[in-house]
Amino acid sequence: MPISPPIKRALVSVSDKQGLSEFIRELVALDIEIFSTGGTRKHLESAGIQVRDVADYTGFPEMMDGRVKTLHPKVHGGLLCRHDNPSDMASLAEHGIATFELVVVNLYPFEETIARPGVTPSEAIEQIDIGGPSMVRSAAKNHAFVTLATNPEQYGAILAEIRDQGTTTLETRRQLAGAAFARTAEYDTAIAGYFVKLNSVAAGVDDYPPQVRLELQRRDTLRYGENPHQSAALYAFPSAPTESLVNAEQLNGKELSYNNLLDLDAALAIARSLPQPGVAVLKHNNPCGAATAETLAEAASKAWDGDPLSAFGSVLGVNVPVDGPMAEFLAEPGRFVEAIVAPDFTPEALEVLTTKPKWKANVRLLKTGTFLPGMGAQVFRQIDGGMLCQTADDLPDETSAWQVLTEAKPSAELQADLEFAWAVCRFVKSNAIVLTKDKSLLGVGAGQMSRVDSVEIAIRKAGKRCQGSVLASDAFFPFEDSIQEAANAGIAAIIQPGGSRRDAEVIAACNEYGLPMIFTGTRHFRH
């Protein structure tokens, strides 16, 4: 097993200076000599910390606006030497090279730079670090003898081991090396992706470049996947906004499961599309209830009543902070929810949800911050051997483009319900049919191979409440049979994309029953 040499010298060169002065001051107190460069050296000296300039040590000045600082044998020789190899140590002595047992390096902020609106290629390129990754790779390769910190979060654990034993353990150095190589891989992926995009723009294929590199960071290992015999984990994109599900703050409850996360994602998407205050009730990735009302408690009550049987053990999405009255409603006997995702929870709501219901200790409460609007961003879906990529179907439809081609026209009240039904329908698995009334979901037909089957299921779910409700279909009706079913159930209006070669027959059927029907011109399949 390699020796663990005592830490005598540290080489420090960082872009992110968070916690640096405090860390280095503690190292100096332990008689560790500090070598540093450029802005890092000035930062430490301004904090009153004695530092040796790398340029003085190498005898070669920084040049080219700092592009060349640490690319020198006296730096990399001290990083790569094997302390148990007599030949390596003899070479150091012959050339006057010092060993570096600790390296503290993080990289130029390339990712942050390219995320800024309007950044130019020249600005981006200047943030491509050269010396930093080179030092990281040298130190990580030689982790048998060198301790490497690439993240301020690592400083505390490293310092604790040095205080205790004058060095770090091989296990720690190996873990730090792994984290370092992951960081350089992430960094190089971002740079490669930037050039792919840059070249794709030049070639006129910006939307779907010939190569895509996805970088994901593991956030959690889950108990299991969709079923207990499947393993699972949660990963996040490094650029995921704070106001997203993967970055949500869990305020209460058991650990999240794979299925919880899928349902919470769907609940968040539906709630985001509803007028405020709105509540969506999810079961198995489909809405079984959704509503908007004057108060959040009323919206929750209407959403729950959409399908009370299915709502038991559901996941909720709420588009405004959960308040006390809504929490009181949920805490009533006979109700049980698995999880709630919302922008926030009032103190009163937290008090109720974590003390009153029988399920108080288990319910997962996730705070995301203000819901971000849909942006039509590219989304990926894995298939055997590859990935599909498309723009997300999360942008609102242009109601000004809708057409009423039937003789009967919807009233203002029906129009509002049709718009609500259309907002919900896109989140139901195809073939999707939803029935709504008073901006509340009453019945859902989802995932059927026949659209008329979905219509029949939605009508059965809604029961007597069908009378005066409106119906939304995610895609066109291929035959008039669904119109007949709707009219017989007392449905008052229909909204659908249109586009069938039998549209004329469907319009004629609506005219026969006096039903107004809107053609949106936009399909919302959800497979």
Side-chain angles (χ1 to χ4, degrees):
M1 179 180 292
I3 63 173
S4 294
I7 295 178
K8 301 177 181 178
R9 300 177 195 85
L11 177 60
V12 186
S13 180
V14 299
S15 174
D16 180 1
K17 297 175 176 59
Q18 176 186 352
L20 182 69
S21 297
E22 295 82 355
F23 179 46
I24 301 303
R25 187 174 283 111
E26 294 291 336
L27 296 179
V28 171
L30 294 170
D31 293 326
I32 296 172
E33 187 178 11
I34 308 300
F35 291 69
S36 191
T37 62
T40 303
R41 175 179 56 79
K42 292 175 183 177
H43 172 80
L44 294 174
E45 288 176 343
S46 69
I49 299 172
Q50 186 176 359
V51 175
R52 185 170 177 186
D53 191 347
V54 168
D56 290 342
Y57 161 65
T58 62
F60 201 91
E62 293 184 17
M63 58 190 302
M64 300 179 187
D65 297 323
R67 282 189 167 199
V68 179
K69 290 182 290 195
T70 57
L71 298 172
H72 195 282
K74 292 189 76 172
V75 171
H76 286 272
L79 297 177
L80 287 165
C81 67
R82 293 160 291 189
H83 291 235
D84 59 356
N85 185 305
S87 177
D88 284 6
M89 302 309 287
S91 294
L92 296 190
E94 179 183 355
H95 298 286
I97 299 174
T99 58
F100 294 106
E101 294 81 24
L102 172 62
V103 178
V104 184
V105 179
N106 51 60
L107 311 179
Y108 291 174
F110 179 81
E111 294 100 327
E112 292 87 342
T113 299
I114 61 173
R116 293 201 314 261
V119 67
T120 65
S122 61
E123 290 172 327
I125 288 168
E126 281 307 309
Q127 293 303 318
I128 297 175
D129 203 336
I130 303 301
S134 299
M135 287 188 289
V136 167
R137 291 182 68 83
S138 291
K141 176 176 180 175
N142 203 33
H143 67 272
F145 308 101
V146 180
T147 302
L148 172 60
T150 54
N151 188 317
E153 294 179 1
Q154 299 164 342
Y155 295 167
I158 293 172
L159 185 60
E161 288 197 14
I162 297 174
R163 281 176 177 158
D164 183 54
Q165 55 199 24
T167 186
T168 59
T169 65
L170 177 60
E171 180 183 10
T172 294
R173 295 196 298 274
R174 186 181 293 122
Q175 290 173 350
L176 291 170
F181 282 123
R183 174 61 187 131
T184 57
E186 175 187 65
Y187 195 71
D188 287 340
T189 296
I191 295 169
Y194 175 76
F195 275 92
V196 167
K197 185 174 181 63
L198 203 63
N199 293 328
S200 296
V201 170
V205 289
D206 180 27
D207 289 343
Y208 296 98
Q211 292 178 324
V212 175
R213 291 177 171 84
L214 300 178
E215 179 69 27
L216 294 164
Q217 298 170 340
R218 194 182 71 191
R219 287 293 176 82
D220 200 4
T221 300
L222 306 177
R223 285 184 299 162
Y224 52 81
E226 286 182 281
N227 300 289
H229 65 276
Q230 295 171 268
S231 61
L234 172 65
Y235 287 82
F237 288 109
S239 59
T242 302
E243 304 85 352
S244 59
L245 182 59
V246 294
N247 288 324
E249 179 184 359
Q250 185 169 348
L251 304 178
N252 187 69
K254 297 190 300 184
E255 62 182 295
L256 291 164
S257 73
Y258 184 95
N259 292 333
N260 287 154
L261 287 162
L262 287 177
D263 282 336
L264 285 163
D265 184 57
L268 187 153
I270 299 175
R272 185 170 57 193
S273 74
L274 299 177
Q276 293 180 345
V279 177
V281 183
L282 268 289
K283 201 68 173 289
H284 303 304
N285 225 229
N286 272 307
C288 58
T292 185
E294 292 296 321
T295 68
L296 191 57
E298 183 186 359
S301 177
K302 289 169 63 178
W304 193 274
D305 287 343
D307 187 349
L309 184 64
S310 298
F312 190 87
S314 58
V315 166
L316 273 57
V318 187
N319 59 17
V320 295
V322 176
D323 58 19
M326 176 182 171
E328 291 283 2
F329 167 79
L330 294 175
E332 291 175 359
R335 297 195 178 92
F336 163 54
V337 296
E338 288 275 3
I340 305 172
V341 60
D344 205 348
F345 295 77
T346 67
E348 295 79 8
L350 281 175
E351 173 69 17
V352 171
L353 292 171
T354 57
T355 61
K356 283 197 171 184
K358 291 182 179 179
W359 35 267
K360 56 184 179 290
N362 295 327
V363 62
R364 296 111 166 147
L365 305 179
L366 274 78
K367 169 186 171 182
T368 64
T370 303
F371 284 0
L372 297 177
M375 295 178 287
Q378 289 182 346
V379 291
F380 293 85
R381 187 170 181 176
Q382 188 169 347
I383 60 172
D384 188 27
M387 304 282 280
L388 294 171
C389 180
Q390 67 172 351
T391 54
D393 187 18
D394 60 3
L395 297 176
D397 287 333
E398 280 292 336
T399 57
S400 60
W402 293 0
Q403 293 181 294
V404 181
L405 300 180
T406 51
E407 294 170 358
K409 311 301 178 187
S411 65
E413 183 179 2
L414 285 176
Q415 178 76 23
D417 265 334
L418 288 163
E419 291 180 8
F420 179 85
W422 192 242
V424 174
C425 188
R426 72 166 71 188
F427 298 103
V428 177
K429 297 293 180 69
S430 295
N431 286 315
I433 297 291
V434 303
L435 302 183
T436 71
K437 186 177 182 180
D438 298 328
K439 295 182 181 178
S440 177
L441 183 60
L442 305 178
V444 176
Q448 301 304 304
M449 285 63 76
S450 163
R451 190 160 298 276
V452 71
D453 286 343
S454 287
V455 171
E456 291 173 352
I457 291 170
I459 290 172
R460 177 166 53 82
K461 281 285 187 180
K464 295 179 180 179
R465 298 175 299 171
C466 281
Q467 194 69 37
S469 68
V470 304
L471 180 152
S473 173
D474 64 344
F476 63 66
F477 291 108
F479 303 101
E480 60 183 271
D481 47 7
S482 293
I483 306 301
Q484 294 167 353
E485 290 280 348
N488 292 336
I491 289 165
I494 295 172
I495 185 168
Q496 60 132 322
S500 169
R501 62 189 181 90
R502 293 188 175 88
D503 277 350
E505 296 174 23
V506 173
I507 293 170
C510 284
N511 288 337
E512 179 183 347
Y513 293 105
L515 290 176
M517 180 168 61
I518 293 176
F519 279 22
T520 66
T522 303
R523 189 182 76 181
H524 286 301
F525 267 155
R526 187 177 181 85
H527 280 291

